Amino acid sequence: MKKFLLQFFTWWNGQTLGTRFHTWRKGQRVGEDEFGNVYYQGGTDSEGRTRRWVIYNGYSEASMVPPGWHGWLHHKVDRPPTEEDYTPREWQKPHKPNLTGTPAAYRPRGSVLAKEGRPRVTGDYDAWTPS
């Protein structure tokens, strides 16, 4: 019941009721990735192509879609990774979660939130003053 209420009142936690209904009516399960996300297809979109979608395992985080599935979702390839021997390219890196808004977020040197604080001001800067 709790999972249903979360899906009813939040769009970022799994699937919404509209997605659940569309998946039940027209969805054909295509596969699952290493993160537990499940991929579906069925019906047609406004351009006449087969509609494709993902139901995330947990929070809806677009960066959790692996490159092979991303290509399939966006109609860049016709066959999903489950139907071909997909191997990532050597330049493709493993997934890192989006840490924005968390204590582990990137804070460059000089950021107000950086641990070391802002560097001391040197004499090479003159503040602007209106004439």
Side-chain angles (χ1 to χ4, degrees):
M1 184 66 171
K2 180 181 176 184
K3 187 174 182 178
F4 175 78
L5 288 174
L6 278 173
Q7 290 175 356
F8 187 78
F9 290 107
T10 62
W11 58 264
W12 59 86
N13 194 3
Q15 58 183 320
T16 61
L17 288 177
T19 304
R20 180 186 290 250
F21 181 70
H22 187 76
T23 302
W24 172 74
R25 269 187 63 230
K26 297 187 177 189
Q28 171 193 0
R29 185 184 168 121
V30 176
E32 185 173 332
D33 65 18
E34 63 266 22
F35 302 118
N37 301 325
V38 183
Y39 299 87
Y40 293 91
Q41 69 180 1
T44 55
D45 64 9
S46 61
E47 297 177 17
R49 301 177 300 187
T50 303
R51 185 168 179 235
R52 298 172 178 174
W53 67 96
V54 58
I55 297 187
Y56 295 98
N57 180 21
Y59 285 116
S60 297
E61 174 63 52
S63 69
M64 291 286 291
V65 175
W69 283 107
H70 181 271
W72 179 80
L73 280 172
H74 294 277
H75 297 274
K76 302 298 180 198
V77 295
D78 293 330
R79 294 176 23 192
T82 53
E83 292 181 9
E84 60 184 25
D85 188 23
Y86 175 80
T87 54
R89 310 241 189 232
E90 65 275 357
W91 48 264
Q92 290 175 324
K93 297 182 178 182
H95 174 263
K96 284 186 176 179
N98 182 352
L99 299 174
T100 303
T102 69
Y106 172 69
R107 294 183 171 88
R109 187 171 166 263
S111 168
V112 176
L113 299 174
K115 291 178 184 172
E116 64 271 357
R118 293 184 57 84
R120 303 273 313 150
V121 177
T122 60
D124 64 345
Y125 173 77
D126 293 323
W128 177 82
T129 54
S131 319

